[in-house]
Amino acid sequence: MNTKIIAVMLCALALAGTTGTASAKGCLKGAAVGGVAGHYAGHHAVVGAIGGCVVGRHLANKKAADEAAAAHAAAPAAQPAPAK
């Protein structure tokens, strides 16, 4: 039993070392909240974490889009130079 656990941990460590950087805005916070909620809702922490990550990522993207739209609306429109 311990050998299997050690083998899984070594594989996970090897895979974690090969991954590049990822943009996880919203995912980590959502996964933490979803994991806790899933745990208390019937020991489904992993399912809750996955769902929380998806929802958190969606909300982060929505917030970024709203901020970009607000910045675009607040910026003055570029006026072309008058022709001579």
Side-chain angles (χ1 to χ4, degrees), residues 34-66:
V36 170
H39 172 72
Y40 285 111
H43 302 287
H44 298 293
V46 174
V47 175
I50 292 169
C53 179
V54 170
V55 171
R57 181 77 178 140
H58 170 72
L59 292 176
N61 286 339
K62 184 177 178 183
K63 181 180 176 185
D66 290 345

Side-chain angles (χ1 to χ4, degrees), residues 15-49:
L15 288 175
T18 61
T19 60
T21 59
S23 177
K25 293 182 181 179
C27 182
L28 297 177
K29 187 188 297 183
V33 172
V36 170
H39 172 72
Y40 285 111
H43 302 287
H44 298 293
V46 174
V47 175

